[in-house]
Every structure is written in structure tokens, then in C-alpha cells.
Amino acid sequence: MKILVVGGAGYIGSICAELLLDEEHQVAIFDNLSEGHRSAVDPRAEFFEGDLGEQAKIRSTIAQSKPDAVMHFAASALVGESMQNPSKYFRNNIASGLNLLDAMIATGVQRLIFSSTCAIFGPPERLPIDETLPPRPINPYGESKLAFEKILRWYDQIHGFKFVSLRYFNAAGASAKFGEDHRHETHLIPNVLKVALGQKRHVEVFGTDYETPDGTCIRDYIHIVDLARAHILALKSPKSEFYNLGTGGGSSVREVIAACREISGRKIDIVEEPRRPGDPPRLIASSEKIKRELGWRPKFQSLEAIIESAWKWHEKFPDGYAD
Ligand code: UDP
């Protein structure tokens, strides 16, 4: 198939593009490089630099690249920032996303894989979080992704558009080529590894008084390559659907730091800080539905395997993409 990867210069998009190319699909990448990096664009892919805010640009890109399907990763994705600048989130994640959908309809491309998030759920009533739980986002980021999921449902009903929405838990790790390099890093694992590399003095632990065994937040970390594989499987889905995507396991902040110490063999100092606003104590996915319906099986179940891949990448590219 030919796939247009929108946001394919970013962390998750670049690795999906790599796996698609490894499986002999053709890939075109559309990215405005605001969060992504030119050197994260797989050299085997066609590249179109552009912003989804410009409808004409995405429409001409689709007309020129003629994809069979689109994977959409281009979005703003920081909970904290969304609480300060909701407009950016509603504009980028809903309004610009609509430009993509309308360009697809106009050019007759009817299949989309959408990058959604567990942030659509808000604090869960029960764990693990399956697809039957009611979505109740508590920040504009989660709200914007939920709104887009609702738009997709209507586009299916009205235009016969087919989509699969994948709600990721905590994406982490790296492939041999591509990894996680945000210009402003807020995520736990890359921040801990920066301390291991001597690029940061210490890692801040946000909240040590949660009702969890060691007092720190628990998250479901999923290997980026397993996540990318789910996107490729989703291309074959016979129907429009929503799937939660994690490993079903949980690791605390302290467990992540301990595993990073073990794997890197480096000293990692911590400083305990107050809770970070908006952090639920525990988020753990049920991925039974995608396993049952699409046959997805994560290959990297352990936190250690995830961190090992991330550490290898950060050691090899200590300055990240450096562009
Ligand atoms: N966290 C932390 N220090 C950091 C970054 C994150 O203690 O430097 C905590 C954060 O409060 C949360 C967990 O690590 O409990 C995972 O945070 P991350 O930002 O990686 O992902 P999120 O779950 O917010 O999407």
C-alpha cells in the first residue's frame, strides 16, 4: 500500500514510517517540522513540508502522493501546555485535523489511522481501562482528541469514511534508527536518561504521596515498535473502530528510575517535587479488544526491554536529532 504519514517526522510517526517501509509499503511524509525533525524523516520516504492549517497544501499533497490510506500523528500533545493554551490544542488537533479529513474526502482517500490517547478517559472508575469506560477528559488535550474521534464517527456515517482510532498509553523506547527527541522534554523516560547521560543534574519526581505502593504514579509504558505494529495491523481493519493500546502492566516513577539506573549503570539523582497538576495516580490499559479483533501481540512486554532500546538510542545520539 501507499501510506501518507502526517506528522511522520515526529517520534511516533517516524517509527511507523520506518516499519511501513521495512514491510515494503510506500510512504509519503507530511510534516511542518514544528515538533518533528528533518533528520527523523526516513530517507526512503517522499517528504512534503507543510502545515495542516493550510488546507490547499494538504490537499495538493494528497493529490500528488495518491495514498491508499493516511496515518495522522500531527498534533499538539502536552497535557500541561493544553491547560495554559487551550486554543492551540483545539486549533491544531481539531480545526487542522478537519482540513486533513476534508482534503481526504475531496481526493477520494477514505481510510485513516488516527493517533488518539488515554487522556480522553480522565481518571478512570476502574482498572484496567477498556473501551467501555465513559470518556471524561479533564484537560483540553484529551478533549480535543475525543472531539476528533466523534468527528470521525460522523464522517464514517455520512461519507462512508473508514478509520481506526488508537488510544495510546505511555509510548516509550526507540527503534535502532529513530527515538524520542522533543525540543522541550517533559516525558519521564527521556528525562531520566538525560540525567544518566550527564545532560541534566537530577530528575524531578512529581508526587511521592499518591495511593500507590511506593507513592509515585503508575503508568502503562508501551514499546514504540509494538505501537507502530498496531498501526500497520489497523490498516487491515474491516470496520471503523476504537482501540486502547498498552501492555496491561504498570510501572511507577520510582520503578522506571531504578530500571534506568540498572540498564545504564549510571548514577541518577532524584529530587522529590510536589504533584504535577492533572496527573492521575494510575493509568493501565486493557488491550484485549485489539488483541481479539486485530490479533495484536506486544513483543516487548517488560519495562526493561523498553528502557534498553531507549538507552541504546540516547547513547548513540546523545544530542538527539541536533537540528
Ligand atoms: N514524571 C516525573 N518526572 C518527570 C516527568 C514525568 O515524575 O520529569 C512523572 C509524571 O508526573 C507522571 C509519569 O512520570 O506521573 C509519566 O509522565 P509522562 O510525562 O512521561 O507521561 P504522561 O503519563 O503524563 O503522559
Side-chain angles (χ1 to χ4, degrees):
M1 288 173 85
K2 174 136 190 205
I3 314 295
L4 175 64
V5 182
V6 177
Y11 171 42
I12 303 176
S14 61
I15 292 172
C16 279
E18 179 190 2
L19 262 70
L20 283 164
L21 288 156
D22 288 349
E23 293 195 7
E24 311 292 329
H25 294 288
Q26 286 176 280
V27 172
I29 288 174
F30 181 88
D31 201 297
N32 67 3
L33 302 181
S34 68
E35 297 290 338
H37 307 268
R38 185 63 184 86
S39 42
V41 172
D42 196 302
R44 295 169 292 176
E46 263 176 281
F47 180 59
F48 297 86
E49 186 170 346
D51 192 299
L52 280 184
E54 292 172 63
Q55 161 123 81
K57 180 73 187 167
I58 182 61
R59 192 167 162 168
S60 66
T61 299
I62 297 175
Q64 209 181 317
S65 59
K66 297 189 176 53
D68 301 298
V70 174
M71 291 186 180
H72 176 29
F73 301 94
S76 300
L78 299 177
V79 168
E81 185 189 47
S82 81
M83 295 292 282
Q84 282 153 8
N85 188 358
S87 167
K88 176 175 175 184
Y89 281 70
F90 295 129
R91 196 173 306 279
N92 288 349
N93 297 358
I94 304 176
S96 295
L98 264 179
N99 284 341
L100 171 62
L101 294 188
D102 291 342
M104 288 174 68
I105 299 289
T107 48
V109 181
Q110 291 278 73
R111 180 169 281 271
L112 180 83
I113 312 301
F114 177 56
S115 165
S116 189
T117 168
C118 64
I120 65 158
F121 288 106
E125 285 162 12
R126 58 168 199 275
L127 289 174
I129 301 174
D130 63 33
E131 293 80 357
T132 64
L133 272 168
R136 292 194 191 111
I138 55 164
N139 50 63
Y141 169 55
E143 192 73 70
S144 68
K145 290 282 184 175
L146 179 60
F148 202 74
E149 286 196 346
K150 290 182 180 169
I151 291 168
L152 288 175
R153 215 192 277 268
W154 285 111
Y155 271 53
D156 178 349
Q157 194 170 317
I158 295 164
H159 296 298
F161 189 86
K162 291 293 159 231
F163 69 87
V164 172
S165 179
L166 299 174
R167 287 104 166 233
Y168 318 149
F169 282 62
N170 288 59
S175 72
K177 284 191 208 159
F178 301 118
E180 190 168 12
D181 176 18
H182 297 108
R183 289 190 178 83
H184 172 60
E185 191 54 76
T186 64
H187 294 105
L188 180 63
I189 293 176
N191 270 334
V192 178
L193 296 180
K194 274 178 198 278
V195 181
L197 283 170
Q199 296 175 350
K200 260 173 78 97
R201 287 162 74 94
H202 58 256
V203 61
E204 294 158 301
V205 175
F206 298 130
T208 53
D209 58 350
Y210 286 99
E211 283 183 13
T212 57
D214 68 16
T216 64
C217 286
I218 293 178
R219 293 289 179 272
D220 183 341
Y221 295 91
I222 168 172
H223 197 293
I224 190 79
V225 169
D226 283 329
L227 201 125
R229 285 212 178 89
H231 290 73
I232 297 177
L233 283 175
L235 287 171
K236 295 191 193 124
S237 172
K239 58 183 169 116
S240 290
E241 202 48 85
F242 302 92
Y243 295 107
N244 294 356
L245 207 53
T247 59
S251 307
S252 72
V253 173
R254 288 195 201 280
E255 285 170 341
V256 167
I257 296 168
C260 290
R261 283 195 185 111
E262 181 71 31
I263 287 159
S264 68
R266 306 279 176 92
K267 188 164 163 290
I268 298 172
D269 289 332
I270 65 163
V271 170
E272 296 186 0
E273 295 284 348
R275 294 180 177 197
R276 190 172 73 173
D279 275 345
R282 288 172 197 257
L283 292 173
I284 295 175
S286 162
S287 303
E288 293 312 309
K289 185 174 166 189
I290 191 164
K291 287 182 180 164
R292 200 173 53 240
E293 295 188 2
L294 298 185
W296 179 72
R297 297 279 177 279
K299 287 193 181 164
F300 303 93
Q301 286 278 18
S302 75
L303 178 68
E304 285 70 22
I306 295 173
I307 292 176
E308 241 161 58
S309 71
W311 175 240
K312 267 193 200 147
W313 192 81
H314 285 279
E315 259 199 315
K316 194 163 161 198
F317 305 105
D319 300 319
Y321 291 108
D323 61 356

